[in-house]
Amino acid sequence: QVQLVESGGGLVQAGGSLRLSCAASGSIFRTKTMAWYRRAPGNQRELVASITSGGTTNYADSVKGRVTISRDNAKNRVYLQMNSLKPEDTAVYYCNAPFDIAPTLVYWSWGQGTQVTVSS
């Protein structure tokens, strides 16, 4: 079972930036598409961005142009650079490996996530 540890969240003002990091145990990480998800209070968890093992990226419309997902397979890490943050980006952010045919399904247990709070 791969362990996921997210970090890098915090409290920022609108317009600010944060870089989230996800550390994954196990070499199988390198073969998987990885994704960042978020869950805002009262909402379901939603997919924010994904990156294949080869580096192809995809973004939710709500963050497109403001967010960049990247990965370092040598370090078993995936990152989320978030710029021009908005109050509606406030959520707990998680990483995981989604199933290709059903991105809401993931391979591994969820980590504890990292809280991002954007003040207006």
Side-chain angles (χ1 to χ4, degrees), residues 28-45:
I28 195 172
F29 162 90
R30 303 166 190 176
T31 68
K32 297 295 188 186
T33 293
M34 291 297 296
W36 282 95
Y37 297 79
R38 67 185 180 188
R39 175 179 279 170
N43 290 353
Q44 292 187 336
R45 199 174 344 236

Side-chain angles (χ1 to χ4, degrees), residues 6-116:
E6 300 91 350
S7 62
L11 172 64
V12 296
Q13 291 187 332
S17 298
L18 283 173
R19 188 189 191 215
L20 308 184
S21 178
C22 168
S25 63
S27 60
I28 195 172
F29 162 90
R30 303 166 190 176
T31 68
K32 297 295 188 186
T33 293
M34 291 297 296
W36 282 95
Y37 297 79
R38 67 185 180 188
R39 175 179 279 170
N43 290 353
Q44 292 187 336
R45 199 174 344 236
E46 63 174 347
L47 180 65
V48 175
S50 64
I51 184 168
T52 67
S53 58
T56 300
T57 58
N58 194 31
Y59 299 94
D61 288 342
S62 59
V63 302
K64 201 170 292 184
R66 302 187 296 118
V67 164
T68 302
I69 188 171
S70 61
R71 68 191 296 162
D72 185 337
N73 288 337
K75 295 182 178 179
N76 277 15
R77 286 186 179 264
V78 61
Y79 305 99
L80 191 70
Q81 177 66 45
M82 306 177 68
N83 301 322
S84 302
L85 282 162
K86 304 176 180 180
E88 51 263 44
D89 293 319
T90 295
V92 180
Y93 285 72
Y94 305 85
C95 66
N96 215 311
F99 282 78
D100 289 339
I101 60 172
T104 56
L105 300 179
V106 296
Y107 279 92
W108 305 314
S109 297
W110 295 100
Q112 61 184 22
T114 186
Q115 174 72 48
V116 171

